[in-house]
Structure formats: structure tokens, C-alpha cells
Amino acid sequence: MAHIPSSLLAASGLVGGYGVARWTGKRPLGGAVLAVAGAAAARQWRQRAGGPAAGALTAAYAAAFAGSHPLARKVGAWPAVFGVASAVALASWAVADRRTTR
């Protein structure tokens, strides 16, 4: 199976979850995308960086989702989503993906 970096999984979950919710009009469907990608990223975080780091990155993922809502009122929905997704991807890369050698 191809290696997908956890940073890409996390960013894709945030962007994809919002996109699916917006384009289908079904927020639970967007939430499912967010949850599946987050779970896949969390599994990799745990394997690569350990439990405490995975917990911190999972909390950052959830905080990014929650924080994108008030941020969207100030900068717009898509800029907010891309901003928080970028922040989570950078944190994920720094903590878990940077150490991975392939």
C-alpha cells in the first residue's frame, strides 16, 4: 500500500470534510469524512511518534475544526479551513512525518 503522510491525511480531512458538507448540504457526511481522516492520521501519529504526541496532535486536529468556525466569520470559510488545515499539517509533519524515512 502507498505511504500517505499523516500531515496530508489530517489536512485532507479538514478540507475534505468541509468541502463534502458544503457541496452536499449534509453536515453529517462532512463530519464522517473529518472523522475517518482524523482516525487514520491519529493511527499514524501513534505509530510514528507515540501516544502522548498522538494525543496532542488529535487535540490540535479537533481544535482546528472548532477554531475554523469563529475564524471563518473574520476571514471567510475557505481561507479559515485552509489556514487551520495548514497549521495542523505543519504540526503533524514536525512531530511525526519528519522522522519517517522511506
Side-chain angles (χ1 to χ4, degrees):
M1 184 150 98
H3 170 74
I4 300 171
S6 62
S7 54
L8 181 59
L9 284 171
S12 297
L14 290 161
V15 173
Y18 174 69
V20 167
R22 181 172 176 133
W23 291 319
T24 65
K26 300 186 185 316
R27 292 177 73 175
L29 189 56
V33 170
L34 179 82
V36 168
R43 182 173 184 228
Q44 286 190 16
W45 293 330
R46 184 169 176 78
Q47 289 172 344
R48 295 183 184 149
L57 288 168
T58 300
Y61 185 78
F65 167 70
S68 69
H69 292 82
L71 182 60
R73 290 189 203 105
K74 296 179 186 216
V75 300
W78 281 110
V81 171
F82 284 126
V84 300
S86 297
V88 170
L90 182 60
S92 178
W93 175 82
V95 172
D97 292 341
R98 180 175 53 159
R99 299 181 192 159
T100 304
T101 56
R102 275 201 129 234

mmCIF file of all heavy atoms in Angstrom, residues 46-78:
data_model
loop_
_atom_site.group_PDB
_atom_site.id
_atom_site.type_symbol
_atom_site.label_atom_id
_atom_site.label_comp_id
_atom_site.label_asym_id
_atom_site.label_seq_id
_atom_site.Cartn_x
_atom_site.Cartn_y
_atom_site.Cartn_z
ATOM 1 N N ARG A 46 0.303 7.807 16.313
ATOM 2 C CA ARG A 46 0.640 6.900 17.420
ATOM 3 C C ARG A 46 1.788 5.969 17.035
ATOM 4 O O ARG A 46 2.699 5.741 17.831
ATOM 5 C CB ARG A 46 -0.588 6.097 17.832
ATOM 6 C CG ARG A 46 -0.350 5.209 19.032
ATOM 7 C CD ARG A 46 -1.675 4.657 19.540
ATOM 8 N NE ARG A 46 -1.505 3.732 20.607
ATOM 9 C CZ ARG A 46 -1.255 4.039 21.864
ATOM 10 N NH1 ARG A 46 -1.131 5.298 22.213
ATOM 11 N NH2 ARG A 46 -1.123 3.117 22.785
ATOM 12 N N GLN A 47 1.767 5.437 15.830
ATOM 13 C CA GLN A 47 2.816 4.529 15.374
ATOM 14 C C GLN A 47 4.160 5.236 15.251
ATOM 15 O O GLN A 47 5.196 4.669 15.562
ATOM 16 C CB GLN A 47 2.445 3.925 14.017
ATOM 17 C CG GLN A 47 1.321 2.939 14.068
ATOM 18 C CD GLN A 47 0.856 2.513 12.679
ATOM 19 O OE1 GLN A 47 1.163 3.148 11.673
ATOM 20 N NE2 GLN A 47 0.102 1.427 12.629
ATOM 21 N N ARG A 48 4.156 6.458 14.781
ATOM 22 C CA ARG A 48 5.406 7.158 14.474
ATOM 23 C C ARG A 48 5.949 7.993 15.615
ATOM 24 O O ARG A 48 7.161 8.189 15.700
ATOM 25 C CB ARG A 48 5.199 8.064 13.258
ATOM 26 C CG ARG A 48 4.916 7.270 12.027
ATOM 27 C CD ARG A 48 4.793 8.143 10.828
ATOM 28 N NE ARG A 48 4.428 7.303 9.690
ATOM 29 C CZ ARG A 48 3.699 7.712 8.688
ATOM 30 N NH1 ARG A 48 3.269 8.938 8.634
ATOM 31 N NH2 ARG A 48 3.415 6.881 7.716
ATOM 32 N N ALA A 49 5.062 8.539 16.442
ATOM 33 C CA ALA A 49 5.531 9.484 17.459
ATOM 34 C C ALA A 49 5.127 9.102 18.882
ATOM 35 O O ALA A 49 5.536 9.766 19.820
ATOM 36 C CB ALA A 49 5.023 10.889 17.132
ATOM 37 N N GLY A 50 4.315 8.061 19.046
ATOM 38 C CA GLY A 50 3.920 7.620 20.376
ATOM 39 C C GLY A 50 2.586 8.207 20.822
ATOM 40 O O GLY A 50 2.036 9.124 20.201
ATOM 41 N N GLY A 51 2.092 7.659 21.917
ATOM 42 C CA GLY A 51 0.783 8.027 22.442
ATOM 43 C C GLY A 51 0.610 9.483 22.833
ATOM 44 O O GLY A 51 -0.376 10.118 22.441
ATOM 45 N N PRO A 52 1.536 10.047 23.632
ATOM 46 C CA PRO A 52 1.361 11.453 24.030
ATOM 47 C C PRO A 52 1.351 12.414 22.847
ATOM 48 O O PRO A 52 0.526 13.331 22.796
ATOM 49 C CB PRO A 52 2.556 11.714 24.949
ATOM 50 C CG PRO A 52 2.912 10.370 25.498
ATOM 51 C CD PRO A 52 2.628 9.410 24.371
ATOM 52 N N ALA A 53 2.218 12.185 21.887
ATOM 53 C CA ALA A 53 2.245 13.048 20.698
ATOM 54 C C ALA A 53 0.966 12.872 19.887
ATOM 55 O O ALA A 53 0.400 13.852 19.387
ATOM 56 C CB ALA A 53 3.468 12.732 19.845
ATOM 57 N N ALA A 54 0.506 11.636 19.769
ATOM 58 C CA ALA A 54 -0.738 11.378 19.038
ATOM 59 C C ALA A 54 -1.910 12.074 19.727
ATOM 60 O O ALA A 54 -2.775 12.640 19.060
ATOM 61 C CB ALA A 54 -0.993 9.881 18.938
ATOM 62 N N GLY A 55 -1.926 12.037 21.045
ATOM 63 C CA GLY A 55 -2.986 12.726 21.782
ATOM 64 C C GLY A 55 -2.960 14.228 21.552
ATOM 65 O O GLY A 55 -4.004 14.857 21.348
ATOM 66 N N ALA A 56 -1.775 14.796 21.563
ATOM 67 C CA ALA A 56 -1.641 16.235 21.344
ATOM 68 C C ALA A 56 -2.047 16.617 19.918
ATOM 69 O O ALA A 56 -2.744 17.622 19.712
ATOM 70 C CB ALA A 56 -0.211 16.683 21.622
ATOM 71 N N LEU A 57 -1.635 15.823 18.943
ATOM 72 C CA LEU A 57 -1.995 16.114 17.559
ATOM 73 C C LEU A 57 -3.489 15.908 17.312
ATOM 74 O O LEU A 57 -4.109 16.662 16.547
ATOM 75 C CB LEU A 57 -1.165 15.274 16.594
ATOM 76 C CG LEU A 57 0.294 15.691 16.478
ATOM 77 C CD1 LEU A 57 1.109 14.631 15.737
ATOM 78 C CD2 LEU A 57 0.423 17.046 15.798
ATOM 79 N N THR A 58 -4.074 14.921 17.957
ATOM 80 C CA THR A 58 -5.518 14.712 17.836
ATOM 81 C C THR A 58 -6.271 15.888 18.442
ATOM 82 O O THR A 58 -7.273 16.357 17.879
ATOM 83 C CB THR A 58 -5.928 13.384 18.500
ATOM 84 O OG1 THR A 58 -5.228 12.313 17.845
ATOM 85 C CG2 THR A 58 -7.419 13.151 18.404
ATOM 86 N N ALA A 59 -5.795 16.379 19.574
ATOM 87 C CA ALA A 59 -6.413 17.563 20.185
ATOM 88 C C ALA A 59 -6.270 18.777 19.273
ATOM 89 O O ALA A 59 -7.204 19.579 19.129
ATOM 90 C CB ALA A 59 -5.784 17.838 21.546
ATOM 91 N N ALA A 60 -5.112 18.913 18.623
ATOM 92 C CA ALA A 60 -4.904 20.023 17.689
ATOM 93 C C ALA A 60 -5.853 19.906 16.492
ATOM 94 O O ALA A 60 -6.389 20.911 16.021
ATOM 95 C CB ALA A 60 -3.450 20.054 17.218
ATOM 96 N N TYR A 61 -6.069 18.695 16.010
ATOM 97 C CA TYR A 61 -6.991 18.453 14.892
ATOM 98 C C TYR A 61 -8.409 18.876 15.275
ATOM 99 O O TYR A 61 -9.079 19.591 14.523
ATOM 100 C CB TYR A 61 -6.926 16.970 14.534
ATOM 101 C CG TYR A 61 -7.716 16.532 13.324
ATOM 102 C CD1 TYR A 61 -7.226 16.758 12.039
ATOM 103 C CD2 TYR A 61 -8.912 15.850 13.453
ATOM 104 C CE1 TYR A 61 -7.927 16.315 10.919
ATOM 105 C CE2 TYR A 61 -9.624 15.411 12.339
ATOM 106 C CZ TYR A 61 -9.127 15.646 11.083
ATOM 107 O OH TYR A 61 -9.820 15.206 9.971
ATOM 108 N N ALA A 62 -8.852 18.460 16.456
ATOM 109 C CA ALA A 62 -10.191 18.825 16.924
ATOM 110 C C ALA A 62 -10.299 20.333 17.166
ATOM 111 O O ALA A 62 -11.309 20.958 16.825
ATOM 112 C CB ALA A 62 -10.528 18.054 18.202
ATOM 113 N N ALA A 63 -9.250 20.919 17.734
ATOM 114 C CA ALA A 63 -9.252 22.362 17.980
ATOM 115 C C ALA A 63 -9.261 23.140 16.669
ATOM 116 O O ALA A 63 -9.896 24.202 16.566
ATOM 117 C CB ALA A 63 -8.045 22.756 18.829
ATOM 118 N N ALA A 64 -8.577 22.628 15.658
ATOM 119 C CA ALA A 64 -8.569 23.285 14.349
ATOM 120 C C ALA A 64 -9.969 23.278 13.747
ATOM 121 O O ALA A 64 -10.425 24.289 13.206
ATOM 122 C CB ALA A 64 -7.581 22.588 13.417
ATOM 123 N N PHE A 65 -10.647 22.147 13.855
ATOM 124 C CA PHE A 65 -12.021 22.065 13.359
ATOM 125 C C PHE A 65 -12.903 23.080 14.087
ATOM 126 O O PHE A 65 -13.611 23.859 13.452
ATOM 127 C CB PHE A 65 -12.565 20.643 13.539
ATOM 128 C CG PHE A 65 -14.041 20.545 13.336
ATOM 129 C CD1 PHE A 65 -14.588 20.705 12.073
ATOM 130 C CD2 PHE A 65 -14.889 20.303 14.403
ATOM 131 C CE1 PHE A 65 -15.961 20.632 11.879
ATOM 132 C CE2 PHE A 65 -16.255 20.226 14.221
ATOM 133 C CZ PHE A 65 -16.802 20.383 12.956
ATOM 134 N N ALA A 66 -12.835 23.078 15.396
ATOM 135 C CA ALA A 66 -13.667 24.012 16.180
ATOM 136 C C ALA A 66 -13.263 25.462 15.925
ATOM 137 O O ALA A 66 -14.118 26.341 15.795
ATOM 138 C CB ALA A 66 -13.557 23.672 17.663
ATOM 139 N N GLY A 67 -11.974 25.713 15.855
ATOM 140 C CA GLY A 67 -11.488 27.069 15.669
ATOM 141 C C GLY A 67 -11.744 27.639 14.297
ATOM 142 O O GLY A 67 -11.772 28.866 14.118
ATOM 143 N N SER A 68 -11.950 26.789 13.311
ATOM 144 C CA SER A 68 -12.212 27.292 11.966
ATOM 145 C C SER A 68 -13.556 28.015 11.883
ATOM 146 O O SER A 68 -13.721 28.907 11.056
ATOM 147 C CB SER A 68 -12.171 26.151 10.946
ATOM 148 O OG SER A 68 -13.261 25.263 11.119
ATOM 149 N N HIS A 69 -14.487 27.658 12.762
ATOM 150 C CA HIS A 69 -15.808 28.281 12.719
ATOM 151 C C HIS A 69 -15.772 29.771 13.081
ATOM 152 O O HIS A 69 -16.238 30.596 12.293
ATOM 153 C CB HIS A 69 -16.782 27.496 13.600
ATOM 154 C CG HIS A 69 -17.077 26.134 13.061
ATOM 155 N ND1 HIS A 69 -16.245 25.056 13.274
ATOM 156 C CD2 HIS A 69 -18.078 25.682 12.289
ATOM 157 C CE1 HIS A 69 -16.745 24.002 12.663
ATOM 158 N NE2 HIS A 69 -17.859 24.356 12.053
ATOM 159 N N PRO A 70 -15.227 30.162 14.229
ATOM 160 C CA PRO A 70 -15.159 31.603 14.501
ATOM 161 C C PRO A 70 -14.183 32.328 13.572
ATOM 162 O O PRO A 70 -14.412 33.491 13.219
ATOM 163 C CB PRO A 70 -14.712 31.691 15.956
ATOM 164 C CG PRO A 70 -14.161 30.365 16.306
ATOM 165 C CD PRO A 70 -14.800 29.369 15.378
ATOM 166 N N LEU A 71 -13.136 31.653 13.154
ATOM 167 C CA LEU A 71 -12.196 32.271 12.233
ATOM 168 C C LEU A 71 -12.868 32.577 10.895
ATOM 169 O O LEU A 71 -12.580 33.598 10.263
ATOM 170 C CB LEU A 71 -10.980 31.356 12.036
ATOM 171 C CG LEU A 71 -9.869 31.879 11.138
ATOM 172 C CD1 LEU A 71 -9.290 33.184 11.694
ATOM 173 C CD2 LEU A 71 -8.779 30.826 11.003
ATOM 174 N N ALA A 72 -13.788 31.724 10.471
ATOM 175 C CA ALA A 72 -14.489 31.916 9.202
ATOM 176 C C ALA A 72 -15.296 33.211 9.193
ATOM 177 O O ALA A 72 -15.458 33.831 8.142
ATOM 178 C CB ALA A 72 -15.394 30.731 8.914
ATOM 179 N N ARG A 73 -15.780 33.624 10.341
ATOM 180 C CA ARG A 73 -16.529 34.888 10.411
ATOM 181 C C ARG A 73 -15.640 36.087 10.114
ATOM 182 O O ARG A 73 -16.116 37.126 9.690
ATOM 183 C CB ARG A 73 -17.167 35.051 11.788
ATOM 184 C CG ARG A 73 -18.305 34.094 12.018
ATOM 185 C CD ARG A 73 -19.048 34.428 13.306
ATOM 186 N NE ARG A 73 -19.724 33.238 13.770
ATOM 187 C CZ ARG A 73 -19.344 32.487 14.784
ATOM 188 N NH1 ARG A 73 -18.279 32.822 15.492
ATOM 189 N NH2 ARG A 73 -20.010 31.412 15.115
ATOM 190 N N LYS A 74 -14.348 35.926 10.356
ATOM 191 C CA LYS A 74 -13.420 37.040 10.166
ATOM 192 C C LYS A 74 -12.757 37.030 8.798
ATOM 193 O O LYS A 74 -12.536 38.091 8.214
ATOM 194 C CB LYS A 74 -12.345 37.016 11.251
ATOM 195 C CG LYS A 74 -12.919 37.242 12.623
ATOM 196 C CD LYS A 74 -11.860 37.204 13.692
ATOM 197 C CE LYS A 74 -12.561 37.302 15.026
ATOM 198 N NZ LYS A 74 -11.851 38.048 15.993
ATOM 199 N N VAL A 75 -12.405 35.852 8.282
ATOM 200 C CA VAL A 75 -11.634 35.790 7.036
ATOM 201 C C VAL A 75 -12.362 35.068 5.908
ATOM 202 O O VAL A 75 -11.855 35.032 4.792
ATOM 203 C CB VAL A 75 -10.251 35.140 7.266
ATOM 204 C CG1 VAL A 75 -9.434 35.923 8.258
ATOM 205 C CG2 VAL A 75 -10.382 33.681 7.662
ATOM 206 N N GLY A 76 -13.494 34.462 6.177
ATOM 207 C CA GLY A 76 -14.205 33.669 5.178
ATOM 208 C C GLY A 76 -14.004 32.184 5.435
ATOM 209 O O GLY A 76 -13.025 31.776 6.066
ATOM 210 N N ALA A 77 -14.938 31.398 4.921
ATOM 211 C CA ALA A 77 -14.930 29.963 5.216
ATOM 212 C C ALA A 77 -13.719 29.241 4.645
ATOM 213 O O ALA A 77 -13.003 28.542 5.376
ATOM 214 C CB ALA A 77 -16.220 29.320 4.711
ATOM 215 N N TRP A 78 -13.496 29.363 3.344
ATOM 216 C CA TRP A 78 -12.386 28.624 2.746
ATOM 217 C C TRP A 78 -11.028 29.060 3.279
ATOM 218 O O TRP A 78 -10.191 28.202 3.584
ATOM 219 C CB TRP A 78 -12.431 28.692 1.224
ATOM 220 C CG TRP A 78 -13.430 27.731 0.652
ATOM 221 C CD1 TRP A 78 -14.606 28.047 0.045
ATOM 222 C CD2 TRP A 78 -13.365 26.297 0.665
ATOM 223 N NE1 TRP A 78 -15.274 26.902 -0.326
ATOM 224 C CE2 TRP A 78 -14.534 25.815 0.036
ATOM 225 C CE3 TRP A 78 -12.436 25.382 1.147
ATOM 226 C CZ2 TRP A 78 -14.783 24.451 -0.123
ATOM 227 C CZ3 TRP A 78 -12.692 24.024 0.991
ATOM 228 C CH2 TRP A 78 -13.849 23.575 0.361
#
